[in-house]
Amino acid sequence: MKFPGRAGPSFPGRLRRARTNAAEPGDGFGVAVCLGDINGDGRADLAVGTYGETTGDQSRAGAVTILYGSTKGLRTSAAQGFTRATAGVPGVLRRAEQFGAAVALTYANGDGLADLFVGAHDADTVHDGR
């Protein structure tokens, strides 16, 4: 998944905001964090991994939240959340995958905007949390 411009994230088409549920014990919000300018406004944006987030009936499937920077700091009102269930995110939503266990914002494609990379502990389905 990458953020290829001021219009927002896409992979391969425009991503829609995920609907993640409320905080629960074990979500692991903030287990992985990284700063970078995703949208080109000159402000630091924050990617936050939440490896233990439950999505639907898939426990510990994981999620990533993007908080956009402003002149007054990070804005929660414009936050975007992504899971494997989000349209445009490659892969399949699975129990115990822990999507978001690692996040990186790096300038990978030369467009001057930070690109988001997301790691998952069990992306290969070897350990399904049982």
Side-chain angles (χ1 to χ4, degrees):
M1 169 171 39
K2 68 181 189 175
F3 290 78
R6 287 174 174 54
S10 67
F11 188 91
R14 182 126 175 106
L15 292 171
R16 291 184 206 101
R17 183 176 175 165
R19 300 288 180 206
T20 57
N21 57 16
E24 304 143 348
D27 274 352
F29 182 84
V31 68
V33 297
C34 194
L35 290 168
D37 186 6
I38 294 170
N39 57 4
D41 65 358
R43 310 277 185 244
D45 306 311
L46 181 66
V48 182
T50 309
Y51 72 94
E53 178 70 29
T54 296
T55 302
D57 64 351
Q58 303 298 310
S59 64
R60 296 185 312 280
V64 173
T65 302
I66 304 296
L67 300 170
Y68 291 95
S70 72
T71 57
K72 297 180 180 181
L74 295 173
R75 296 177 299 154
T76 58
S77 62
Q80 289 184 290
F82 303 97
T83 70
R84 289 276 196 187
T86 304
V89 174
V92 177
L93 179 70
R94 288 184 305 100
R95 178 180 179 273
E97 182 177 57
Q98 299 183 354
F99 180 81
V103 295
L105 289 171
T106 186
Y107 299 88
N109 64 6
D111 67 0
L113 303 174
D115 302 302
L116 174 64
F117 293 85
V118 179
H121 279 236
D122 195 26
D124 60 4
T125 71
V126 172
H127 308 335
D128 65 0
R130 294 177 199 189

